[in-house]
Amino acid sequence: MPKIKTRRCAAKRFKVNGSGKIKRGSAYRRHILVTKTTKNKRQLRASAFVDGTQLRNIKRLIPYA
């Protein structure tokens, strides 16, 4: 069997932790920040985990992570 190529776009966006969960950054923090509250912007700094429904798709993109 040939090696599977890693999707580089996904490898730069997602990291896998020790228990196998996939960590991702928060969305909605690129522009139109004037309308968002300071509390909201501060909470968007924190990373989140990929939902279980998307886990299989992301693991297929980064097979060796």
Side-chain angles (χ1 to χ4, degrees):
M1 290 294 293
K3 293 181 185 176
I4 304 169
K5 284 192 174 182
T6 298
R7 298 289 179 135
R8 299 310 299 163
C9 59
K12 292 170 185 177
R13 286 168 172 78
F14 302 106
K15 300 291 178 218
V16 181
N17 69 358
S19 64
K21 289 183 178 179
I22 298 177
K23 195 166 70 167
R24 62 169 178 82
S26 298
Y28 306 110
R29 194 163 153 71
R30 294 291 178 219
H31 55 87
I32 316 176
L33 297 174
V34 178
T35 59
K36 295 177 178 73
T37 63
T38 307
K39 179 182 177 181
N40 190 5
K41 289 184 278 192
R42 183 172 61 247
Q43 289 174 341
L44 286 173
R45 279 185 224 146
S47 56
F49 290 106
V50 172
D51 190 58
T53 57
Q54 299 295 318
L55 213 55
R56 187 173 166 212
N57 296 332
I58 303 299
K59 284 189 174 179
R60 197 176 287 165
L61 297 174
I62 45 174
Y64 302 109

